[in-house]
């Protein structure tokens, strides 16, 4: 149980608050946005006690990160029957960025204002294709930061750097709603690769959607300081993965809501600043040649199946 995990990490009863009360208060804050002053009235505890126990539980939840947010030791090559991923059988997962609203001091808000004029942090995430668990998370970047800048930061970090090859083709249609509208079909191998790459990457959009559905408080600014807000985002991802591991199956009703939201978004007018998406990561010629060879084989098989040879 989650309680026992935190006990093993060092959470103990004290003369003021039990372990169970500490966890309950923590979950009420991050799960429902309950203010500490309200908790003081519920549990008859001082604000200092509640704040201290909250941050203690937060620290211990974050200490579980390496246990629950980790890259797999090896890739399961079971992709033959998965039309989205069969061409990407050696990929660890899917990568994308999302924005989470934050409460930021007025003097710093300009840096955190994204292209939609919202005050947010840009969160980089990598997820597993099947379980929709996070494999890597990097929150904390200002909302004005481009996805590509956040990714470059992950690539050059001294501790646990994230390494990826060059992915989609530039200056080529990519996003799914470009294909779903007007019955568009790929006309060359670059377009086919980008279509199938986008289909595979859809798993990370579902993971972010599931995270925000499960922790709806993420959809509104927090009342904590900037650094604590970033730590709480990490904690959400740890708890998300914990729930995925202990659950016998995915929360399909919630996932259905996510899929409906994504379908609705894909039908809306697509308005994106292409400088604000990850469209290219500098890679060596070995990866580029590998991608090109795979893409040409992919397109050759596509032409045979569609009778276009």
């Amino acid at each position: 149980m989650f309680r026992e995990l935190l006990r093993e990490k060092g959470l103990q009863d004290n003369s003021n608050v039990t372990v169970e009360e500490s966890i309950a208060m923590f979950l009420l804050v991050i799960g429902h946005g309950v203010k500490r002053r309200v908790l003081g009235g519920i549990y008859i505890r001082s604000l200092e006690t509640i704040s201290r126990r909250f941050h203690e539980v937060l620290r211990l939840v974050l200490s579980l990160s390496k246990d629950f947010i980790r890259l797999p030791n090896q890739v399961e090559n079971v992709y033959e029957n998965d039309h989205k991923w069969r061409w990407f059988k050696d990929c660890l997962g899917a990568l994308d960025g999302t924005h989470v609203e934050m409460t930021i001091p007025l003097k710093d808000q300009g840096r955190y204002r994204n292209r939609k004029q919202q005050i947010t942090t840009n969160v980089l995430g990598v997820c597993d294709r099947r379980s929709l668990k996070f494999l890597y998370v990097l929150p904390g970047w200002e909302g004005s930061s481009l996805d590509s800048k956040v990714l470059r930061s992950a690539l050059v970090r001294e501790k646990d750097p994230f390494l990826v090859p060059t992915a989609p083709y530039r200056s080529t249609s990519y996003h799914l709603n470009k294909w779903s509208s007007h019955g568009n079909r790929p006309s060359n191998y670059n377009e086919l690769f980008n279509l199938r790459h986008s289909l595979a990457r859809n798993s990370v959009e579902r993971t972010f959607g599931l995270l925000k559905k499960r922790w709806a408080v993420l959809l509104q600014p927090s009342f904590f300081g900037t650094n604590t807000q970033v730590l709480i985002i990490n904690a959400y991802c740890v708890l998300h993965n914990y729930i995925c591991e202990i659950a016998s199956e995915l929360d399909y009703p919630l996932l259905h809501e996510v899929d409906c939201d994504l379908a609705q978004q894909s039908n809306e007018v697509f308005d994106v600043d292409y400088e604000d998406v990850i469209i290219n990561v500098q890679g060596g010629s070995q990866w580029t040649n590998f991608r090109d060879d795979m893409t040409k084989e992919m397109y050759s098989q596509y032409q045979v199946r569609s009778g276009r040879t």
Side-chain angles (χ1 to χ4, degrees), residues 15-34:
S15 57
N16 294 320
V17 189
T18 66
V19 166
E20 289 77 10
E21 287 177 326
S22 299
I23 295 174
M25 289 189 293
F26 175 79
L27 292 176
L28 283 171
V29 172
I30 71 165
H32 300 279
V34 177

Side-chain angles (χ1 to χ4, degrees), residues 131-134 206-208 210-211 214-215 235-245:
S131 65
L132 302 186
K133 293 192 299 184
F134 287 100
R206 300 177 82 206
T207 303
F208 276 134
L210 191 57
L211 179 75
R214 179 170 283 147
W215 305 101
Y236 283 131
C237 296
V238 172
L239 293 171
H240 170 89
N241 280 14
Y242 171 76
I243 293 170
C244 289
E245 287 200 11

Side-chain angles (χ1 to χ4, degrees), residues 196-209:
R196 290 184 173 171
H197 190 279
S198 184
L199 283 169
R201 194 187 61 85
N202 179 255
S203 60
V204 73
E205 295 178 346
R206 300 177 82 206
T207 303
F208 276 134

Side-chain angles (χ1 to χ4, degrees), residues 271-284:
D271 178 19
V272 64
D273 179 357
Y274 280 95
E275 294 300 318
D276 198 31
V277 294
I278 299 172
I279 53 178
N280 186 53
V281 179
Q282 187 64 39

Side-chain angles (χ1 to χ4, degrees), residues 109-132:
Q109 287 186 2
R111 295 186 290 113
Y112 285 84
R113 195 178 303 279
N114 64 23
R115 64 183 180 83
K116 295 182 179 179
Q117 302 305 305
Q118 299 168 325
I119 307 300
T120 64
T121 179
N122 195 345
V123 182
L124 172 68
V126 183
C127 77
D128 178 80
R129 72 179 184 94
R130 302 175 67 186
S131 65
L132 302 186

Side-chain angles (χ1 to χ4, degrees), residues 165-196:
T166 301
Y169 289 94
R170 302 188 67 173
S171 303
T172 303
S173 295
Y174 180 76
H175 291 273
L176 291 180
N177 66 328
K178 292 286 186 179
W179 303 106
S180 61
S181 60
H182 308 301
N184 292 333
R185 302 184 68 176
S187 60
N188 56 57
Y189 68 87
N190 290 2
E191 291 185 353
L192 179 65
F193 177 86
N194 279 8
L195 170 61
R196 290 184 173 171

Side-chain angles (χ1 to χ4, degrees), residues 249-262:
E249 59 182 21
L250 288 172
D251 188 341
Y252 287 108
L254 202 60
L255 192 58
H256 176 69
E257 291 183 27
V258 172
D259 289 338
C260 289
D261 289 345
L262 291 175

